Coordinates of all heavy atoms in Angstrom, one line a residue:
M1 N -8.2 21.2 10.8 CA -8.0 22.7 10.9 C -8.9 23.3 11.9 O -10.1 22.9 12.0 CB -8.2 23.2 9.6 CG -8.1 24.7 9.5 SD -8.4 25.5 7.9 CE -7.1 24.8 7.0
A2 N -8.5 24.2 12.7 CA -9.3 24.9 13.6 C -10.3 25.8 13.1 O -10.1 26.4 12.0 CB -8.4 25.6 14.6
K3 N -11.5 25.9 13.7 CA -12.6 26.6 13.2 C -13.0 27.6 14.2 O -13.1 27.2 15.3 CB -13.8 25.7 12.8 CG -13.6 24.7 11.6 CD -14.7 24.0 11.3 CE -14.6 23.1 10.1 NZ -13.4 22.6 9.7
S4 N -13.1 28.8 13.7 CA -13.6 29.9 14.6 C -15.1 29.7 15.1 O -15.8 29.0 14.3 CB -13.4 31.3 14.0 OG -14.4 31.4 12.9
R5 N -15.5 30.3 16.1 CA -16.8 30.3 16.5 C -17.7 30.9 15.4 O -18.9 30.4 15.2 CB -17.0 31.2 17.9 CG -18.4 31.0 18.4 CD -18.6 31.8 19.7 NE -17.6 31.2 20.6 CZ -17.2 31.8 21.7 NH1 -17.7 33.1 22.0 NH2 -16.3 31.4 22.6
H6 N -17.3 31.9 14.8 CA -18.0 32.5 13.7 C -18.4 31.6 12.6 O -19.5 31.4 12.2 CB -17.3 33.7 13.1 CG -17.9 34.4 11.9 ND1 -19.0 35.3 12.1 CD2 -17.8 34.3 10.6 CE1 -19.4 35.7 11.0 NE2 -18.7 35.1 10.0
I7 N -17.4 30.7 12.1 CA -17.6 29.8 11.0 C -18.6 28.7 11.5 O -19.4 28.3 10.8 CB -16.3 29.3 10.3 CG1 -16.7 28.6 9.0 CG2 -15.7 28.4 11.3 CD1 -15.5 28.1 8.2
Q8 N -18.4 28.2 12.7 CA -19.2 27.3 13.3 C -20.7 27.7 13.2 O -21.6 27.0 12.9 CB -18.7 26.9 14.6 CG -17.5 26.1 14.7 CD -16.9 25.8 16.1 OE1 -17.5 26.3 17.0 NE2 -15.9 25.1 16.1
Q9 N -21.0 28.9 13.6 CA -22.3 29.5 13.7 C -22.9 29.6 12.2 O -24.0 29.2 11.9 CB -22.3 30.8 14.3 CG -22.1 30.9 15.8 CD -22.0 32.3 16.3 OE1 -21.8 33.3 15.6 NE2 -22.1 32.3 17.7
R10 N -22.1 30.2 11.3 CA -22.5 30.2 9.9 C -22.8 28.9 9.3 O -23.7 28.7 8.5 CB -21.4 31.1 9.1 CG -21.4 32.5 9.6 CD -22.6 33.3 9.5 NE -22.5 34.6 10.1 CZ -22.9 34.9 11.4 NH1 -23.5 34.0 12.1 NH2 -22.7 36.1 11.8
M11 N -21.9 28.0 9.5 CA -22.0 26.6 8.9 C -23.4 26.0 9.5 O -24.2 25.4 8.7 CB -21.0 25.7 9.3 CG -19.7 26.0 8.6 SD -18.2 25.1 9.3 CE -18.8 23.4 9.1
S12 N -23.7 26.1 10.7 CA -25.0 25.7 11.3 C -26.2 26.4 10.6 O -27.2 25.8 10.3 CB -25.0 26.0 12.8 OG -26.2 25.6 13.4
Q13 N -26.1 27.7 10.5 CA -27.2 28.5 10.0 C -27.4 28.1 8.5 O -28.5 28.1 7.9 CB -26.9 30.0 10.0 CG -26.9 30.6 11.4 CD -26.3 31.9 11.5 OE1 -25.8 32.5 10.5 NE2 -26.5 32.6 12.6
R14 N -26.4 27.9 7.7 CA -26.5 27.6 6.2 C -26.5 26.2 5.8 O -26.4 25.9 4.6 CB -25.3 28.4 5.6 CG -25.4 29.9 5.9 CD -24.1 30.6 5.5 NE -24.3 32.1 5.8 CZ -23.4 32.9 5.9 NH1 -22.1 32.5 5.8 NH2 -23.7 34.2 6.3
G15 N -26.5 25.2 6.7 CA -26.5 23.8 6.4 C -25.2 23.4 5.8 O -25.3 22.5 4.9
I16 N -24.1 23.9 6.1 CA -22.9 23.5 5.5 C -22.1 22.6 6.5 O -22.0 22.9 7.6 CB -22.0 24.7 5.1 CG1 -22.7 25.6 4.2 CG2 -20.6 24.3 4.7 CD1 -22.1 26.9 3.9
R17 N -21.8 21.4 6.1 CA -21.1 20.4 6.9 C -19.6 20.6 6.7 O -19.1 21.0 5.7 CB -21.6 19.0 6.6 CG -23.1 18.9 6.7 CD -23.5 17.4 6.3 NE -22.7 16.5 7.2 CZ -23.2 15.5 7.8 NH1 -24.4 15.2 7.6 NH2 -22.3 14.6 8.4
G18 N -18.9 20.1 7.8 CA -17.3 20.2 7.8 C -16.8 19.4 6.6 O -15.8 19.8 6.0
E19 N -17.4 18.3 6.2 CA -17.0 17.4 5.1 C -17.0 18.3 3.8 O -16.3 18.0 2.9 CB -17.8 16.2 5.0 CG -17.6 15.2 6.1 CD -18.6 15.4 7.3 OE1 -19.5 16.3 7.2 OE2 -18.5 14.8 8.3
M20 N -18.1 19.1 3.7 CA -18.2 19.9 2.5 C -17.0 20.9 2.3 O -16.4 21.1 1.2 CB -19.5 20.7 2.5 CG -20.7 19.9 2.3 SD -22.2 20.9 2.6 CE -23.5 19.7 2.4
L21 N -16.6 21.4 3.5 CA -15.4 22.3 3.5 C -14.1 21.7 3.2 O -13.3 22.2 2.4 CB -15.3 23.1 4.8 CG -16.5 24.0 5.2 CD1 -16.1 24.7 6.5 CD2 -16.7 25.0 4.1
D22 N -14.0 20.4 3.5 CA -12.9 19.6 3.2 C -12.8 19.4 1.6 O -11.7 19.5 1.1 CB -12.8 18.2 3.8 CG -12.7 18.3 5.3 OD1 -12.3 19.4 5.9 OD2 -13.2 17.2 6.0
L23 N -14.1 19.2 1.0 CA -14.0 19.0 -0.4 C -13.7 20.3 -1.1 O -13.0 20.4 -2.2 CB -15.4 18.5 -0.8 CG -15.8 17.0 -0.4 CD1 -17.2 16.8 -0.8 CD2 -14.9 16.1 -1.2
V24 N -14.2 21.4 -0.6 CA -13.9 22.7 -1.2 C -12.4 23.0 -1.2 O -11.8 23.3 -2.2 CB -14.6 23.9 -0.4 CG1 -14.1 25.2 -0.9 CG2 -16.1 23.9 -0.7
A25 N -11.7 22.6 -0.1 CA -10.3 22.8 0.0 C -9.6 21.9 -1.0 O -8.5 22.2 -1.5 CB -9.9 22.5 1.4
Q26 N -10.1 20.7 -1.2 CA -9.5 19.7 -2.0 C -9.6 19.9 -3.5 O -8.7 19.9 -4.2 CB -10.0 18.3 -1.7 CG -9.2 17.2 -2.4 CD -9.7 15.7 -1.9 OE1 -10.5 15.7 -1.1 NE2 -9.2 14.8 -2.6
F27 N -10.8 20.4 -3.8 CA -11.0 20.5 -5.3 C -11.3 21.9 -5.8 O -11.4 22.2 -7.0 CB -12.4 19.7 -5.7 CG -12.2 18.1 -5.5 CD1 -12.8 17.5 -4.4 CD2 -11.4 17.5 -6.4 CE1 -12.5 16.2 -4.2 CE2 -11.3 16.1 -6.3 CZ -11.8 15.5 -5.1
G28 N -11.4 22.9 -4.8 CA -11.6 24.2 -5.2 C -10.4 25.0 -5.7 O -9.3 24.4 -5.7
S29 N -10.6 26.2 -6.2 CA -9.5 27.0 -6.8 C -9.3 28.2 -5.8 O -10.3 28.8 -5.4 CB -9.8 27.4 -8.2 OG -11.0 28.2 -8.2
W30 N -8.0 28.5 -5.4 CA -7.8 29.6 -4.5 C -7.6 30.9 -5.3 O -7.0 30.9 -6.3 CB -6.5 29.3 -3.8 CG -6.7 28.1 -2.8 CD1 -6.4 26.9 -3.0 CD2 -7.1 28.4 -1.5 NE1 -6.7 26.2 -1.8 CE2 -7.1 27.2 -0.8 CE3 -7.5 29.5 -0.7 CZ2 -7.6 26.9 0.4 CZ3 -7.8 29.3 0.6 CH2 -7.8 28.1 1.1
Q31 N -8.3 31.9 -4.7 CA -8.3 33.2 -5.3 C -8.1 34.1 -4.0 O -8.9 34.5 -3.3 CB -9.6 33.6 -6.0 CG -9.9 32.8 -7.2 CD -11.3 33.2 -7.8 OE1 -11.9 34.1 -7.2 NE2 -11.6 32.4 -8.8
G32 N -6.6 34.4 -3.8 CA -6.3 35.1 -2.6 C -6.6 34.3 -1.3 O -6.0 33.1 -1.2
D33 N -7.4 34.8 -0.4 CA -7.7 34.0 0.8 C -8.9 33.1 0.6 O -9.3 32.5 1.5 CB -8.0 35.0 2.0 CG -6.7 35.8 2.4 OD1 -5.7 35.4 2.0 OD2 -6.9 36.9 2.9
K34 N -9.6 33.1 -0.5 CA -10.8 32.4 -0.7 C -10.5 31.1 -1.5 O -9.7 31.2 -2.4 CB -11.8 33.2 -1.5 CG -12.3 34.4 -0.8 CD -13.2 35.2 -1.8 CE -13.5 36.5 -1.3 NZ -14.4 37.2 -2.2
C35 N -11.2 30.0 -1.1 CA -11.2 28.8 -1.9 C -12.6 28.6 -2.5 O -13.6 28.6 -1.6 CB -10.7 27.7 -1.1 SG -10.5 26.2 -2.1
I36 N -12.8 28.6 -3.8 CA -14.1 28.5 -4.4 C -14.3 27.2 -5.1 O -13.5 26.8 -6.0 CB -14.3 29.6 -5.3 CG1 -14.2 31.0 -4.6 CG2 -15.6 29.7 -6.0 CD1 -14.1 32.2 -5.5
L37 N -15.3 26.5 -4.9 CA -15.7 25.3 -5.6 C -17.1 25.6 -6.2 O -18.2 25.5 -5.4 CB -15.7 24.1 -4.7 CG -16.1 22.7 -5.4 CD1 -15.1 22.4 -6.5 CD2 -16.2 21.6 -4.4
N38 N -17.1 26.0 -7.5 CA -18.4 26.3 -8.1 C -19.0 25.0 -8.8 O -18.5 23.9 -8.6 CB -18.2 27.4 -9.1 CG -17.1 27.1 -10.1 OD1 -16.8 26.0 -10.3 ND2 -16.6 28.2 -10.8
R39 N -20.1 25.2 -9.5 CA -20.7 24.1 -10.2 C -19.7 23.4 -11.2 O -19.8 22.2 -11.2 CB -21.9 24.5 -11.0 CG -23.1 24.9 -10.2 CD -24.3 25.4 -11.0 NE -25.3 26.0 -10.2 CZ -26.4 25.4 -9.8 NH1 -26.6 24.1 -10.1 NH2 -27.3 26.1 -9.1
R40 N -19.0 24.1 -11.9 CA -18.1 23.6 -12.8 C -17.1 22.7 -12.1 O -16.7 21.5 -12.5 CB -17.3 24.6 -13.7 CG -16.5 24.1 -14.7 CD -15.7 25.1 -15.5 NE -16.7 26.0 -16.3 CZ -16.4 27.1 -16.7 NH1 -15.2 27.6 -16.6 NH2 -17.3 27.8 -17.4
G41 N -16.5 23.3 -11.0 CA -15.6 22.5 -10.2 C -16.2 21.2 -9.6 O -15.5 20.2 -9.5
C42 N -17.5 21.3 -9.2 CA -18.2 20.1 -8.7 C -18.3 19.1 -9.7 O -18.1 17.8 -9.5 CB -19.6 20.5 -8.1 SG -19.5 21.5 -6.7
R43 N -18.7 19.5 -11.0 CA -18.7 18.5 -12.1 C -17.4 17.8 -12.4 O -17.3 16.6 -12.7 CB -19.2 19.2 -13.4 CG -20.8 19.4 -13.3 CD -21.4 19.8 -14.7 NE -20.9 21.1 -15.1 CZ -21.5 22.3 -14.9 NH1 -22.6 22.3 -14.2 NH2 -21.1 23.4 -15.3
K44 N -16.4 18.6 -12.4 CA -15.1 18.1 -12.6 C -14.6 17.1 -11.5 O -14.1 16.1 -11.8 CB -14.0 19.3 -12.6 CG -12.5 18.8 -13.0 CD -11.6 20.0 -13.0 CE -10.2 19.4 -13.2 NZ -9.2 20.6 -13.1
A45 N -14.9 17.4 -10.3 CA -14.7 16.5 -9.1 C -15.4 15.2 -9.3 O -15.0 14.1 -9.0 CB -14.9 17.2 -7.8
L46 N -16.7 15.4 -9.7 CA -17.5 14.2 -9.9 C -17.0 13.3 -11.0 O -17.1 12.1 -10.9 CB -19.1 14.6 -10.2 CG -19.8 15.1 -9.0 CD1 -21.1 15.7 -9.4 CD2 -20.1 13.9 -8.0
G47 N -16.5 14.0 -12.1 CA -15.8 13.1 -13.2 C -14.6 12.4 -12.6 O -14.4 11.3 -12.9
E48 N -13.8 13.1 -11.7 CA -12.7 12.4 -11.1 C -13.1 11.2 -10.2 O -12.5 10.1 -10.3 CB -11.8 13.4 -10.4 CG -11.2 14.4 -11.2 CD -10.3 15.5 -10.4 OE1 -10.1 15.2 -9.3 OE2 -10.1 16.5 -11.0
L49 N -14.2 11.5 -9.6 CA -14.8 10.4 -8.7 C -15.2 9.2 -9.5 O -14.9 8.1 -9.2 CB -15.8 10.9 -7.8 CG -16.5 10.0 -6.8 CD1 -15.5 9.5 -5.8 CD2 -17.7 10.6 -6.2
D50 N -15.8 9.5 -10.7 CA -16.3 8.3 -11.5 C -15.1 7.6 -12.1 O -15.1 6.4 -12.1 CB -17.1 9.0 -12.7 CG -18.4 9.5 -12.3 OD1 -18.9 9.2 -11.3 OD2 -19.0 10.3 -13.1
T51 N -13.9 8.3 -12.5 CA -12.8 7.6 -12.9 C -12.2 6.8 -11.8 O -11.8 5.6 -11.9 CB -11.8 8.7 -13.5 OG1 -12.3 9.4 -14.5 CG2 -10.5 8.0 -13.9
L52 N -12.1 7.3 -10.6 CA -11.6 6.6 -9.4 C -12.5 5.4 -9.1 O -11.9 4.3 -8.8 CB -11.6 7.5 -8.2 CG -11.2 6.9 -6.9 CD1 -9.7 6.4 -6.9 CD2 -11.2 7.9 -5.8
R53 N -13.8 5.5 -9.2 CA -14.7 4.3 -9.0 C -14.4 3.3 -10.0 O -14.4 2.1 -9.7 CB -16.1 4.8 -9.0 CG -17.1 3.6 -8.6 CD -18.4 4.1 -8.7 NE -19.4 3.2 -8.2 CZ -19.6 1.9 -8.6 NH1 -19.0 1.4 -9.6 NH2 -20.5 1.1 -8.0
K54 N -14.2 3.7 -11.2 CA -14.0 2.7 -12.3 C -12.7 1.9 -12.1 O -12.6 0.7 -12.2 CB -13.9 3.3 -13.6 CG -13.6 2.5 -14.8 CD -13.6 3.4 -16.2 CE -13.2 2.5 -17.3 NZ -13.1 3.3 -18.5
R55 N -11.6 2.7 -11.7 CA -10.3 1.9 -11.3 C -10.5 1.0 -10.1 O -9.9 -0.1 -10.1 CB -9.3 3.0 -11.1 CG -8.9 3.9 -12.2 CD -8.2 3.1 -13.3 NE -7.9 4.0 -14.4 CZ -8.6 4.0 -15.7 NH1 -9.6 3.2 -15.8 NH2 -8.3 4.8 -16.5
L56 N -11.2 1.5 -9.2 CA -11.3 0.6 -7.9 C -12.3 -0.7 -8.3 O -11.9 -1.7 -7.7 CB -12.1 1.5 -6.8 CG -11.1 2.4 -6.2 CD1 -12.0 3.3 -5.2 CD2 -10.1 1.7 -5.3
V57 N -13.2 -0.6 -9.1 CA -13.9 -1.8 -9.6 C -13.1 -2.7 -10.3 O -13.1 -3.9 -10.0 CB -15.2 -1.3 -10.4 CG1 -15.7 -2.5 -11.1 CG2 -16.2 -0.6 -9.6
Q58 N -12.2 -2.2 -11.1 CA -11.2 -3.0 -11.9 C -10.3 -3.7 -10.9 O -10.0 -4.9 -11.0 CB -10.4 -2.2 -12.8 CG -11.2 -1.7 -14.0 CD -10.3 -0.7 -15.0 OE1 -9.4 -0.1 -14.5 NE2 -10.8 -0.5 -16.2
M59 N -9.8 -3.0 -9.9 CA -8.9 -3.6 -8.9 C -9.6 -4.7 -8.1 O -9.0 -5.7 -7.8 CB -8.3 -2.5 -8.0 CG -7.3 -1.7 -8.8 SD -6.8 -0.2 -7.7 CE -6.2 -1.0 -6.3
E60 N -10.9 -4.4 -7.7 CA -11.6 -5.3 -7.0 C -11.8 -6.6 -7.8 O -11.8 -7.8 -7.2 CB -13.0 -4.7 -6.7 CG -13.9 -5.7 -5.9 CD -15.2 -5.2 -5.6 OE1 -15.8 -4.5 -6.6 OE2 -15.9 -5.5 -4.6
E61 N -12.1 -6.5 -9.1 CA -12.2 -7.7 -10.0 C -11.0 -8.5 -10.0 O -11.1 -9.8 -10.2 CB -12.7 -7.3 -11.3 CG -14.1 -6.7 -11.3 CD -14.4 -6.0 -12.7 OE1 -13.5 -5.9 -13.6 OE2 -15.6 -5.7 -12.9
K62 N -9.8 -7.9 -9.8 CA -8.5 -8.6 -9.8 C -8.2 -9.2 -8.4 O -7.3 -9.9 -8.3 CB -7.4 -7.7 -10.2 CG -7.4 -7.2 -11.6 CD -6.3 -6.2 -11.9 CE -6.4 -5.5 -13.2 NZ -6.3 -6.4 -14.4
G63 N -9.1 -8.9 -7.4 CA -8.9 -9.5 -6.1 C -8.0 -8.5 -5.3 O -7.6 -8.9 -4.1
G64 N -7.7 -7.3 -5.7 CA -6.8 -6.5 -5.0 C -5.4 -6.4 -5.6 O -5.0 -7.4 -6.3
I65 N -4.7 -5.5 -5.3 CA -3.3 -5.3 -5.8 C -2.3 -5.0 -4.6 O -2.7 -4.2 -3.7 CB -3.2 -4.3 -6.9 CG1 -4.1 -4.7 -8.0 CG2 -1.7 -4.0 -7.3 CD1 -4.1 -3.6 -9.1
V66 N -1.1 -5.6 -4.7 CA -0.1 -5.3 -3.7 C 1.0 -4.5 -4.3 O 1.4 -4.9 -5.5 CB 0.4 -6.7 -3.2 CG1 1.7 -6.3 -2.2 CG2 -0.6 -7.5 -2.4
L67 N 1.5 -3.4 -3.7 CA 2.6 -2.6 -4.1 C 3.7 -2.8 -3.2 O 3.5 -2.6 -2.0 CB 2.2 -1.2 -4.2 CG 3.3 -0.2 -4.5 CD1 3.9 -0.4 -5.8 CD2 2.8 1.2 -4.3
V68 N 4.9 -3.2 -3.5 CA 6.1 -3.3 -2.7 C 6.9 -2.1 -2.9 O 7.3 -1.8 -4.1 CB 6.8 -4.6 -3.0 CG1 8.1 -4.7 -2.1 CG2 6.0 -5.9 -2.8
H69 N 7.2 -1.3 -1.9 CA 7.8 -0.1 -1.9 C 9.0 0.0 -0.8 O 8.7 -0.4 0.3 CB 6.8 1.0 -1.7 CG 7.3 2.3 -1.6 ND1 7.5 3.1 -2.8 CD2 7.8 3.2 -0.7 CE1 7.9 4.3 -2.4 NE2 8.1 4.4 -1.3
D70 N 10.1 0.3 -1.2 CA 11.2 0.4 -0.2 C 12.2 1.5 -0.6 O 12.5 1.7 -1.7 CB 11.9 -0.9 -0.1 CG 13.0 -1.0 1.0 OD1 12.8 -0.4 2.1 OD2 14.1 -1.6 0.8
G71 N 12.5 2.3 0.4 CA 13.5 3.4 0.3 C 13.1 4.4 -0.8 O 13.9 4.9 -1.5
G72 N 11.8 4.7 -1.0 CA 11.3 5.7 -1.9 C 11.3 5.1 -3.3 O 11.0 6.0 -4.3
V73 N 11.4 3.8 -3.4 CA 11.3 3.2 -4.9 C 10.2 2.2 -4.8 O 10.1 1.3 -3.9 CB 12.6 2.6 -5.2 CG1 12.6 1.9 -6.5 CG2 13.7 3.7 -5.2
D74 N 9.4 2.2 -5.9 CA 8.4 1.2 -6.1 C 9.2 0.0 -6.7 O 9.8 0.1 -7.7 CB 7.3 1.6 -7.1 CG 6.5 2.7 -6.4 OD1 6.4 2.8 -5.2 OD2 5.7 3.3 -7.2
I75 N 9.0 -1.2 -6.0 CA 9.9 -2.3 -6.5 C 9.1 -3.3 -7.4 O 9.5 -3.7 -8.5 CB 10.5 -3.1 -5.3 CG1 11.3 -2.2 -4.5 CG2 11.1 -4.4 -5.6 CD1 11.8 -2.7 -3.2
T76 N 7.9 -3.7 -7.0 CA 7.0 -4.5 -7.9 C 5.6 -4.4 -7.4 O 5.3 -3.7 -6.4 CB 7.5 -6.0 -7.7 OG1 6.8 -6.8 -8.7 CG2 7.2 -6.6 -6.3
A77 N 4.8 -4.9 -8.1 CA 3.3 -5.1 -7.9 C 2.7 -6.3 -8.4 O 3.2 -6.9 -9.4 CB 2.5 -3.8 -8.6
Y78 N 1.7 -6.8 -7.7 CA 1.1 -8.1 -8.1 C -0.3 -8.1 -7.6 O -0.6 -7.4 -6.6 CB 1.9 -9.2 -7.7 CG 2.3 -9.4 -6.3 CD1 1.5 -10.1 -5.4 CD2 3.5 -8.7 -5.8 CE1 1.8 -10.0 -4.0 CE2 3.9 -8.8 -4.5 CZ 3.0 -9.5 -3.6 OH 3.4 -9.6 -2.3
R79 N -1.1 -9.1 -8.0 CA -2.5 -9.3 -7.4 C -2.3 -10.0 -6.0 O -1.4 -10.8 -5.9 CB -3.3 -10.2 -8.4 CG -3.6 -9.7 -9.8 CD -4.4 -10.6 -10.5 NE -4.7 -9.9 -11.9 CZ -5.6 -10.4 -12.7 NH1 -6.2 -11.5 -12.4 NH2 -5.8 -9.8 -13.8
V80 N -3.2 -9.7 -5.2 CA -3.2 -10.1 -3.8 C -3.2 -11.7 -3.9 O -2.5 -12.2 -3.1 CB -4.4 -9.6 -3.1 CG1 -4.5 -10.4 -1.7 CG2 -4.2 -8.1 -2.9
D81 N -4.1 -12.3 -4.7 CA -4.1 -13.8 -4.7 C -3.2 -14.4 -5.5 O -3.2 -15.7 -5.7 CB -5.6 -14.2 -5.1 CG -6.0 -13.7 -6.5 OD1 -5.2 -13.0 -7.1 OD2 -7.1 -14.0 -6.8
S82 N -2.2 -13.8 -6.1 CA -1.3 -14.4 -7.1 C 0.0 -15.1 -6.3 O 0.7 -15.8 -6.9 CB -0.8 -13.4 -8.1 OG 0.1 -12.5 -7.4
Y83 N 0.1 -14.8 -5.1 CA 1.3 -15.3 -4.4 C 0.9 -15.9 -3.1 O 0.3 -15.2 -2.2 CB 2.3 -14.2 -4.0 CG 3.5 -14.7 -3.2 CD1 4.5 -15.5 -3.9 CD2 3.6 -14.3 -1.9 CE1 5.6 -15.9 -3.2 CE2 4.8 -14.7 -1.3 CZ 5.7 -15.5 -1.8 OH 6.8 -15.9 -1.1
I84 N 0.9 -17.2 -2.9 CA 0.6 -17.9 -1.7 C 1.9 -18.4 -1.0 O 2.5 -19.4 -1.6 CB -0.5 -18.9 -1.9 CG1 -1.7 -18.3 -2.6 CG2 -0.8 -19.6 -0.5 CD1 -2.7 -19.3 -3.0
R85 N 2.3 -17.8 0.1 CA 3.5 -18.3 0.9 C 3.3 -19.7 1.4 O 2.2 -20.1 1.9 CB 3.8 -17.4 1.9 CG 5.0 -17.8 2.8 CD 5.4 -16.7 3.8 NE 6.7 -16.4 3.1 CZ 7.1 -15.1 2.9 NH1 6.4 -14.1 3.3 NH2 8.2 -14.8 2.3
G86 N 4.2 -20.6 1.2 CA 4.2 -21.9 1.9 C 3.4 -22.8 0.9 O 3.0 -24.0 1.4
K87 N 3.1 -22.5 -0.3 CA 2.4 -23.3 -1.2 C 3.3 -24.5 -1.5 O 4.4 -24.5 -2.0 CB 2.0 -22.5 -2.4 CG 1.3 -23.3 -3.5 CD 1.0 -22.3 -4.7 CE 0.4 -23.1 -5.8 NZ 0.1 -22.2 -7.0
S88 N 2.7 -25.8 -1.4 CA 3.5 -27.0 -1.7 C 3.2 -27.3 -3.2 O 2.1 -27.3 -3.6 CB 3.1 -28.1 -0.8 OG 1.7 -28.4 -0.9
V89 N 4.2 -27.7 -3.8 CA 4.1 -28.1 -5.3 C 3.9 -29.5 -5.5 O 4.4 -30.3 -4.9 CB 5.3 -27.5 -6.1 CG1 5.3 -27.9 -7.5 CG2 5.5 -26.1 -5.9

C-alpha cells in the first residue's frame, strides 16, 4: 500500500515500522477510517500465533504435509515422506 510523506515522517518520529502497520491491518478492528490494535487485540493475536506455532511444530514432527488440490477441490493429503515414487518392492 502506498504511504504518504506525512505517515512516513510520523512513523520515523514515533518508532513505528511498516511491519507493525501490516499487523494492525491484519489483526485490528476497523472503526470508520481507523484500524485499531489495542492491548487486548495484541494478546488475542499472540494467542493465535501460539496456536499456529503449535500446529506447525506438529506438522514438522510428521515431516511435513502435502495437500493435493485441483479445480477448487481438496483431493487428498498425506505426509511428505509417506510416498516415494519409484520405490522398488
Side-chain angles (χ1 to χ4, degrees):
M1 178 183 296
K3 292 184 177 25
S4 68
R5 183 176 305 159
H6 178 80
I7 194 171
Q8 291 173 355
Q9 290 173 342
R10 296 302 173 258
M11 287 170 59
S12 177
Q13 292 170 350
R14 296 169 181 160
I16 299 173
R17 300 179 55 135
E19 295 87 1
M20 292 177 179
L21 296 182
D22 294 339
L23 291 171
V24 171
Q26 184 175 358
F27 294 105
S29 60
W30 286 94
Q31 297 176 1
D33 292 342
K34 299 179 191 177
C35 188
I36 301 170
L37 182 59
N38 57 17
R39 287 181 194 261
R40 183 182 298 163
C42 289
R43 281 193 293 269
K44 181 179 177 187
L46 285 169
E48 291 177 21
L49 182 61
D50 290 341
T51 301
L52 177 61
R53 185 182 193 294
K54 181 179 175 183
R55 297 290 179 253
L56 287 169
V57 167
Q58 290 172 341
M59 290 173 54
E60 180 189 31
E61 290 171 355
K62 294 178 186 295
I65 296 177
V66 175
L67 170 65
V68 179
H69 179 88
D70 185 35
V73 177
D74 294 341
I75 298 171
T76 190
Y78 54 90
R79 292 181 181 194
V80 171
D81 58 0
S82 69
Y83 177 75
I84 301 172
R85 173 168 255 135
K87 180 180 174 182
S88 58
V89 178

